[in-house]
């Protein structure tokens, strides 16, 4: 039998997936599993997007332009122009989810073996994209004590080598929910300018910023227009993860034309998803206000509840819909599995993502978990109670 | 400004795209352009697939399983089981088009720098996938004189090195339309078994086989179950290129589990496209009979018409909807551009794909073009007349 490739063997297992069999076993025993482990929102997709799909009038579902339908890109340009004046549809390439935008970005900008610096903990699939595209991740630790703020810029300086080609942030962050300040982004601007690096930001949670805090996009940064590549997606914005529509936005013409060649090889992004996404641009502001209010309430229930549990520390996130919490246990990989295998409270247990999978440095995050607050408030209240009793039982066993 | 990556710089320009600006110029001068250059069929998508999209009842367009919806994979398993008994949904991974299936296959099976042998001329985007995934294409020439039959197996033997990890065929072929015989597939079976190679087949045109000829899938080959990886797509089968749904089919468990990790990193294939694709499995046989009849008539008009032009030779393809023709000109890159820039017949000109872009060996295919017969019969008749007069005018200029 021919061998699997080395990169295939090295592909990381998702930190979410490895517990799935234990969750299935719990369910088969009749135990209810409250899923705090995944970021699939239960919020309804905007009606305008669903209607657009239901009302398609085409007789042939054709390829779109490889960069995405021009009408959709022009609609997106209006959206991004509000963030940073002067963005046109030629600065936008529609992709199959934010995932493809990042893979394209790595492939177009980084040579095999080049390094990308990423503050950890970070979205675990960045490891997968890096492995698949032959890029090396260099992690820099951000600490739970600071609420996962940008690590000191000297830490970036120390880790920049001849191989360093890019810095990647997620803003607001998955898994941390941390929202970067303008000052932090300015620090990044200065360092990428100094070292002539690409600066990538995954801004798919841009609309989810709370407590009156404002989101700052990399697109606003002046003087590094050719360094900046923004990865975006409609998945979370309009709660339609399944349409698989994202975008890469950059003013760098060489990056855009190279990425277009990658896009042409795979022909086109999904046509039906683009119809939903173009229509979603007309989503009324009331939708986002309602969603934002809902997420703030959910976050407060979860995070405040967690911080009331003895020994638990969870910084309050400024955005997205995730939080990382420190638990009074030595090994959350073991604890999360134990919760599924051995614990129930009022017929239910809680599934969480052990944070170790979001760190690239071995041994980091061993007493942390990532929690997604994408469920109804009542379920979140139950989850907090269940977790409280679970921690007690685990530590007394 | 940071540099573009080497692989980015090396990404090939599509042989179809480079003439697009000349076609646009012709159109802006009021000249009609008959597009024989692209494989976007004008055949209607089956009503059952369109209806499924129009009748969606979901409130949230969620991620699907990373390998594709189980109900869809079970439906597909029934389809493939008819081709090769015993295929189950666990042997199938739903991908974002056939493109992603091939990229996943290369990444999971080939190391950086490993070689894949492909008979040329071949689908030009294979070059793009190879460049993006760090794989080297080793071309073996198939000749127009033989109708693009499988090259002698000794040619494969000669080109197998320590770096060779796979052979890739397209069956029936794009751009050639050649349909491989069972005997040819058996020859490939023997050589991949002998050298422990992967054998990939792009079988997206499986349904398009003419003149009573039968399609033989790699899935039918016995004794090399762990070597075989089939790439498939619904794009052409149901004339719905825009849904971006494909599949990878393999009985090799290690390849499947590795590919699943790649698939998990990108979360899920498009949900709406899967709904259309699952419904399309119920397309009545009459649809395919009608389509097949239509393509045979189109093929005969085009190919017979071409062979009546002085100096033109076009083998009659057994499948797909492309043909490669040899023209009495020295350089079809120049000729195809000239047709768009300088020629019209009764207000129209013809756009073709110069075949050089489908060859990996420099200098090959210079007097060949690829023609797609995806247009109505009347247009194809006009195209033949236009081309006839164009060749005369070009050679008399």
């Amino acid at each position: 039998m021919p061998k699997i490739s080395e990169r295939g063997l090295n592909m990381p297992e998702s930190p979410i997936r490895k517990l799935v069999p234990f969750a299935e076993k719990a369910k088969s025993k009749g135990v209810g599993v409250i899923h705090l482990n995944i970021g699939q929102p239960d919020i309804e997709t905007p009606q305008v997007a669903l209607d657009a799909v239901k009302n398609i009038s085409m007789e042939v579902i054709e390829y779109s332009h490889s960069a995405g339908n021009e009408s959709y890109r022009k609609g997106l340009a209006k959206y991004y122009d509000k963030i940073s004046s002067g963005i046109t549809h030629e600065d936008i390439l529609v992709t199959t989810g934010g995932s493809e935008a990042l893979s394209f970005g790595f492939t177009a900008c980084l040579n095999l073996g080049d390094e990308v610096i990423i503050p950890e903990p970070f979205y675990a699939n960045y490891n997968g994209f890096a492995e698949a595209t032959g890029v090396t991740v260099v992690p820099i630790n951000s600490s739970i004590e600071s609420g996962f703020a940008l690590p000191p810029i000297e830490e970036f300086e120390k880790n920049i080598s001849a191989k360093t080609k890019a810095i990647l942030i997620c803003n607001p962050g998955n898994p941390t929910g941390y929202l970067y300040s303008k000052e932090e982004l300015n620090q990044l601007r200065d360092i990428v300018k100094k070292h002539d690096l690409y600066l990538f930001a995954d801004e798919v949670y841009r609309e989810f910023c709370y407590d009156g805090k404002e989101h700052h996009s990399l697109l606003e940064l002046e003087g590094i227009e050719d360094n900046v590549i923004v990865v975006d997606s409609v998945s979370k914005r309009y709660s339609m993860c399944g349409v698989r529509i994202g975008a890469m936005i950059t003013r760098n013409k060489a990056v855009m034309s190279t990425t277009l060649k990658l896009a042409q090889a795979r022909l086109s992004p999904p046509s039906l998803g683009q119809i939903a996404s173009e229509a979603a641009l007309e989503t009324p502001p009331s939708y986002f206000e309602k969603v934002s209010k809902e997420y703030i309430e959910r976050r407060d229930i979860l995070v405040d509840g967690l911080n009331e549990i003895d020994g638990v520390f969870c910084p309050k996130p400024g955005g997205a819909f995730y939080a990382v919490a420190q638990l009074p246990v030595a090994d959350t990989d073991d604890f999360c599995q134990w919760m599924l295998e051995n614990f129930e409270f009022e017929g239910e247990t809680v599934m969480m993502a052990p944070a170790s999978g979001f760190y690239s440095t071995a041994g980091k995050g061993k007493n942390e978990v990532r929690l997604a607050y994408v469920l109804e408030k009542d379920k979140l209240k139950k989850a907090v109670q269940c977790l409280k009793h679970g921690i007690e039982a685990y530590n007394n066993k």
Side-chain angles (χ1 to χ4, degrees), chain A:
Chain A
M1 192 191 307
K3 281 186 200 161
I4 296 297
S5 70
E6 284 166 38
R7 51 190 168 176
L9 292 173
N10 290 338
M11 273 298 291
E13 184 83 46
S14 155
I16 300 169
R17 312 272 168 182
K18 55 187 172 185
L19 291 176
V20 170
F22 300 102
E24 281 168 10
K25 221 164 155 188
K27 284 176 198 171
S28 75
K29 289 191 296 181
V31 178
V33 176
I34 306 177
H35 285 274
L36 300 185
N37 59 308
I38 44 169
Q40 167 62 61
D42 63 348
I43 302 285
E44 285 178 17
T45 304
Q47 196 58 44
V48 67
L50 293 170
D51 286 347
V53 174
K54 286 179 190 170
N55 295 331
I56 55 161
S57 61
M58 50 180 62
E59 290 180 341
V60 188
I61 306 177
E62 296 192 356
Y63 291 125
S64 75
H65 189 292
S66 295
N69 288 325
E70 195 171 305
S71 60
Y72 177 41
R73 281 182 289 140
K74 286 187 169 166
L76 281 175
K78 281 186 204 161
Y79 168 89
Y80 291 111
D81 187 67
K82 285 182 201 155
I83 294 168
S84 177
S85 180
I87 298 279
T88 77
H89 72 285
E90 293 184 338
D91 304 322
I92 300 165
L93 186 128
V94 178
T95 56
T96 307
S99 307
E100 188 182 65
L102 193 59
S103 292
F104 278 175
F106 280 176
T107 304
C109 299
L110 280 75
N111 287 322
L112 297 169
D114 276 355
E115 294 174 356
V116 54
I117 296 175
I118 316 180
E120 68 178 358
F122 58 77
Y123 179 50
N125 285 326
Y126 295 160
N127 281 318
F129 303 136
E131 190 61 53
T133 61
V135 164
T136 303
V137 171
V138 174
I140 296 191
N141 195 247
S142 72
S143 70
I144 194 166
E145 291 77 19
S146 72
F148 302 106
L150 192 73
I153 212 72
E154 304 81 58
E155 288 301 309
F156 287 88
E157 285 282 1
K158 263 193 250 171
N159 282 280
I160 290 173
S161 74
K163 285 274 184 197
T164 309
K165 196 70 181 286
I167 295 172
L168 164 62
I169 60 167
C170 182
N171 182 30
N174 174 5
T176 64
Y178 185 76
L179 182 66
Y180 288 105
S181 68
K182 190 72 195 259
E183 291 65 37
E184 287 172 319
L185 296 185
N186 285 343
Q187 287 184 299
L188 289 171
R189 176 197 64 200
D190 294 344
I191 196 167
V192 300
K193 198 167 180 178
K194 179 175 166 194
H195 294 280
D196 203 25
L197 306 176
Y198 288 107
L199 181 58
F200 287 84
D202 175 347
E203 300 186 355
V204 305
Y205 299 98
R206 183 186 301 115
E207 262 70 21
F208 304 95
C209 299
Y210 311 126
D211 312 322
K213 282 180 192 152
E214 203 185 334
H215 182 263
H216 297 288
S217 170
L218 289 197
L219 295 171
E220 299 169 34
L221 298 177
E222 286 175 18
I224 56 162
E225 287 78 2
D226 280 329
N227 307 66
V228 161
I229 295 165
V230 167
V231 167
D232 211 340
S233 164
V234 304
S235 292
K236 314 290 175 166
R237 183 166 305 139
Y238 307 114
S239 194
M240 47 184 198
C241 301
V243 299
R244 311 310 301 128
I245 295 294
M248 177 202 240
I249 307 98
T250 182
R251 289 180 166 104
N252 183 316
K253 301 287 176 206
V255 170
M256 188 51 82
S257 68
T258 302
T259 308
L260 183 59
K261 286 196 278 180
L262 292 164
Q264 286 170 344
R266 63 73 164 124
L267 305 170
S268 97
S271 296
L272 297 172
Q274 286 184 78
I275 289 169
S277 302
E278 186 170 343
L281 290 169
E282 303 303 321
T283 303
S286 57
Y287 175 89
F288 295 104
E289 287 155 19
K290 198 178 144 205
V291 170
S292 182
K293 187 168 166 286
E294 178 69 24
Y295 276 125
I296 290 173
E297 289 171 8
R298 291 177 179 187
R299 178 199 63 173
D300 291 347
I301 287 170
L302 180 70
V303 176
D304 295 350
L306 287 171
N307 282 316
E308 280 169 21
I309 302 173
D310 261 4
V312 173
F313 171 57
C314 182
K316 191 168 272 194
F321 36 65
Y322 304 99
V324 172
Q326 201 173 66
L327 305 185
V329 302
D331 179 349
T332 52
D333 283 278
D334 183 69
F335 174 66
C336 292
Q337 185 177 326
W338 179 87
M339 282 289 284
L340 294 168
E341 277 194 299
N342 300 298
F343 185 75
E344 61 178 284
F345 176 73
E346 296 178 353
E348 290 183 309
T349 190
V350 173
M351 186 169 180
M352 299 163 288
S356 59
F358 300 96
Y359 286 85
S360 188
T361 308
K364 288 270 181 196
K366 287 300 284 176
N367 62 346
E368 298 171 7
V369 288
R370 184 193 75 169
L371 306 156
Y373 46 94
V374 292
L375 303 178
E376 295 154 16
K377 285 167 269 188
D378 280 349
K379 274 202 189 157
L380 291 173
K381 282 179 197 162
K382 278 190 190 167
V384 169
Q385 285 312 305
C386 181
L387 185 54
K388 184 184 167 192
H389 289 93
I391 291 170
E392 273 173 29
Y394 181 77
N395 284 332
N396 291 329
K397 77 175 153 74

